[in-house]
């Protein structure tokens, strides 16, 4: 057992006990694959602002924020108040409520490409329904996506999710026949894919910054090329802004100046309650109109008023000033982490944009899933060890090295991250050097 694991186990006996108890009734001891890490994950009791309190009584500085969901930090008072007030007046009717319209209006105001929007319960449902709308609208059923892109857990988008050709045993084989993948940031490969598939394509779905593959920003013109090709092929460009909507009031599409036909939203869009949304051109979204269209979209919890109230309170707080502030803090963090990496004499770098970023243990330029070290690195590799080293030093990030800034953070939290990052790099230096040899 490594020193890092030994130290982790010393700190977390109660998490181990809870994990063993959970494992008796849930495969893998949890109900969400991404929370697992070796030897067992930390159980969290509660959280406030940017601090997590664990079952072992530790306090961790949260730079993961539930994979970018908790953009206002944990238990933000205005959201807690709005949600509590709405829930107390009754929740969950088989009837529309004014809160869904209010949140839809807010998204439409902030996002010029979105003329019409629907709500669902997760980012998965958001991308699933966006793809379904594209298929219904175009009459085509082939979907193009990026190698290694994660858009949730429905069949279509799980094709190619690992980016390394690994099989995905739960997916019907015939789904793979109608999904193709291309590497991110390679305009030539995209042109070639459109020459081959253009007439059959329902859509090209892309996260404008590849989030889960390692927070990889788009190269200059890549998204414009995607826009031109989809337009020429008379097919739809779908932006998955589940993670990137935090980058500007109008998301990555505003930051990069490219207008998609459809957009998927998630994470903070319901104020921390389970929520997704998808929207875009009115003529495309009309497929969901029970009078004009014929695509089924229903769900017991769609547009749940408490969730909608949480989303409204969150978007109220996440105005342009708040976004500028966390983007600036993110830029400062990246600059300072770049310096730490440059001084470390190790193959390590940080990628990202705005308020989110990722560490990669490589010298090669990270432009796609193949050059990212988050997806294909073996379990126990440098990124995972680095994660554990940071965790032992009181900073919680993703096991794959994803980090992001929340609004309660300030200079003190960036200082704490940079200090822990530098120390954790020393902790893993021998392992990284061995991996490189
Ligand atoms: C870019 C992206 N799309 C879709 C999803 C799926 O969202 P959910 O986990 O809410 O189903 C995620 C989740 O992390 C994501 O990062």
């Amino acid at each position: 057992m490594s020193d890092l694991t030994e130290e982790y186990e010393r700190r977390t006996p109660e998490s181990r006990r809870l994990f063993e108890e959970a494992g008796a009734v849930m495969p893998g001891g949890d109900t969400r694959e991404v929370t697992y890490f070796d030897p067992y994950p930390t159980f969290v009791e509660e959280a406030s602002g940017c601090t997590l309190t664990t079952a072992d009584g530790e306090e961790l500085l949260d730079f993961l924020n539930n994979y970018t969901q908790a953009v206002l930090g944990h238990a933000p008072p205005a959201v807690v108040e709005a949600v509590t007030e709405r829930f107390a007046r009754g929740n969950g009717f088989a009837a529309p409520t004014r809160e869904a319209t209010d949140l839809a209006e807010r998204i439409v105001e902030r996002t010029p490409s979105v003329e019409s929007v629907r709500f669902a319960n997760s980012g998965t449902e958001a991308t699933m329904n966006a793809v379904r709308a594209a298929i219904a609208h175009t009459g085509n059923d082939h979907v193009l996506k990026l190698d290694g892109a994660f858009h949730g857990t429905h069949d279509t988008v799980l094709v190619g999710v690992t980016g390394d050709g690994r099989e995905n045993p739960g997916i019907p084989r015939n789904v793979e026949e109608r999904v193709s993948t291309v590497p991110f940031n390679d305009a030539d490969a995209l042109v070639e894919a459109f020459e081959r598939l253009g007439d059959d394509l329902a859509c090209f779905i892309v996260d404008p910054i590849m989030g889960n593959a390692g927070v990889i920003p788009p190269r200059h013109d890549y998204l414009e090329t995607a826009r031109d090709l989809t337009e020429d092929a008379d097919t739809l460009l779908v932006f998955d802004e589940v993670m990137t909507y935090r980058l500007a009031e109008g998301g990555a599409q505003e930051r990069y100046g490219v207008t998609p036909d459809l957009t998927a939203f998630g994470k903070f869009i319901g104020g921390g309650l389970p929520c997704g949304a998808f929207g875009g051109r009115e003529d495309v979204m009309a497929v969901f109109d029970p009078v004009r269209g014929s695509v089924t979209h229903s769900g017991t919890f769609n547009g749940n008023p408490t969730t909608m109230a949480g989303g409204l309170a969150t978007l109220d707080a996440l105005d342009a000033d708040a976004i500028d502030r966390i983007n600036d803090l993110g830029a400062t963090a990246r600059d300072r982490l770049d310096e730490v990496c440059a001084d470390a004499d190790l193959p390590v770098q940080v990628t990202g944009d705005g308020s989110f970023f990722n560490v990669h243990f490589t010298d090669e330029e990270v432009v796609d899933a193949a050059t990212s070290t988050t997806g294909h690195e073996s379990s126990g590799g440098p990124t995972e060890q680095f994660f554990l080293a940071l965790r032992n030093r009181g900073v919680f990030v993703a096991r794959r090295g994803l980090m992001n800034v929340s609004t309660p953070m300030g200079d003190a939290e960036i200082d704490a991250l940079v200090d822990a990052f530098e120390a954790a790099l020393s902790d893993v230096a021998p392992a990284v050097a061995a991996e490189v040899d």
Side-chain angles (χ1 to χ4, degrees):
M1 188 191 304
S2 76
D3 291 351
L4 290 170
T5 305
E6 217 166 283
E7 169 68 7
Y8 176 70
E9 293 197 355
R10 194 185 62 70
R11 288 168 175 272
T12 56
E14 180 63 3
S15 285
R16 175 199 277 278
R17 194 191 67 71
L18 289 168
F19 178 69
E20 283 166 2
E21 187 182 328
V25 284
M26 288 184 280
D30 196 6
T31 192
R32 187 180 176 194
E33 176 184 288
V34 79
T35 58
Y36 180 77
F37 60 86
D38 199 38
Y40 51 84
T42 305
F43 277 64
V44 172
E45 295 288 358
E46 56 189 47
S48 172
C50 37
T51 306
L52 303 174
T53 305
T54 73
D56 302 281
E58 288 178 289
E59 291 201 336
L60 302 178
L61 178 55
D62 190 8
F63 265 95
L64 179 51
N65 294 304
N66 197 16
Y67 283 84
T68 72
Q69 171 257 301
V71 67
L72 302 181
H74 299 284
V79 179
V80 172
E81 193 184 327
V83 163
T84 311
E85 188 279 329
R86 179 58 258 195
F87 193 71
R89 287 192 289 122
N91 182 59
F93 331 107
T97 58
R98 65 184 71 233
E99 284 84 0
T101 310
D102 291 347
L103 185 56
E105 283 172 353
R106 199 66 56 87
I107 293 171
V108 167
E109 277 160 26
R110 288 169 81 115
T111 329
S113 74
V114 177
E115 297 168 339
S116 182
V117 65
R118 277 251 173 141
F119 294 103
N121 305 293
S122 63
T124 295
E125 285 184 42
T127 61
M128 180 180 78
N129 283 292
V131 169
R132 191 168 285 162
I135 292 170
H137 179 78
T138 60
N140 296 334
D141 66 358
H142 207 91
V143 170
L144 186 64
K145 71 180 282 279
L146 298 172
D147 285 331
F150 181 75
H151 300 293
T153 52
H154 56 99
D155 289 350
T156 302
V157 296
L158 278 177
V159 176
V161 71
T162 59
D164 60 4
R166 233 179 304 162
E167 274 201 358
N168 223 319
I171 298 178
R173 294 281 80 86
N174 59 1
V175 173
E176 292 180 338
E177 286 161 19
R178 53 168 200 78
V179 180
S180 298
T181 63
V182 282
F184 190 38
N185 276 327
D186 184 340
D188 293 340
L190 199 56
V191 170
E192 191 278 321
F194 271 82
E195 278 166 7
R196 200 163 26 92
L197 304 164
D199 289 346
D200 299 327
L201 280 181
C203 64
F204 176 38
I205 181 168
V206 52
D207 38 345
I209 292 180
M210 281 192 89
N212 290 287
V215 194
I216 309 166
R219 273 184 169 150
H220 183 64
D221 286 354
Y222 184 77
L223 298 174
E224 286 93 329
T225 303
R227 178 66 282 181
D228 292 345
L229 288 170
T230 42
E231 231 159 54
D232 291 349
D234 217 5
T235 187
L236 301 186
L237 180 62
V238 179
F239 272 5
D240 177 351
E241 295 242 31
V242 166
M243 273 194 175
T244 54
Y245 201 50
R246 60 164 41 227
L247 288 176
E249 276 191 300
Q253 51 198 272
E254 177 184 321
R255 193 165 175 88
Y256 299 130
V258 177
T259 305
D261 300 295
L262 293 174
T263 303
F265 307 91
K267 302 294 184 195
F268 60 81
I269 206 75
L273 294 165
C275 192
F278 52 99
R281 278 169 40 189
E282 202 280 334
D283 61 320
V284 181
M285 290 299 289
V287 300
F288 297 109
D289 181 335
V291 178
R292 289 179 293 161
S294 55
V295 177
T296 299
H297 173 239
S298 211
T300 305
F301 296 105
N302 291 358
N304 177 275
T306 302
T307 308
M308 300 292 102
L312 277 165
T314 299
L315 291 187
D316 279 348
L318 197 67
D319 59 14
D321 288 346
I323 291 174
D324 284 349
R325 208 181 135 270
I326 56 171
N327 284 347
D328 287 348
L329 284 172
T332 304
R334 281 196 306 283
D335 286 348
R336 292 183 57 193
L337 296 177
D338 282 347
E339 281 171 28
V340 171
C341 292
D343 290 345
D345 197 24
L346 288 171
V348 60
Q349 60 181 295
V350 172
T351 60
D353 192 16
S355 57
F356 75 135
F357 38 99
N358 211 107
V359 62
H360 297 267
F361 284 90
T362 176
D363 274 338
E364 202 179 336
E365 190 190 1
V366 177
V367 293
D368 58 13
T371 45
S372 162
T373 59
T374 62
H376 47 82
E377 182 184 89
S378 61
S379 178
T383 313
E384 201 164 314
Q385 297 215 22
F386 185 67
F387 151 77
L388 200 56
L390 273 178
R391 155 73 190 74
N392 286 346
R393 290 178 178 279
V395 176
F396 192 57
V397 306
R399 181 181 152 205
R400 292 172 150 208
L402 179 142
M403 299 163 238
N404 60 93
V405 177
S406 63
T407 59
M409 289 181 174
D411 293 337
E413 283 74 24
I414 303 301
D415 288 346
L417 171 68
V418 174
D419 289 349
F421 191 102
E422 191 166 11
L425 270 189
S426 318
D427 294 340
V428 302
V432 177
E435 183 95 358
V436 172
D437 280 349

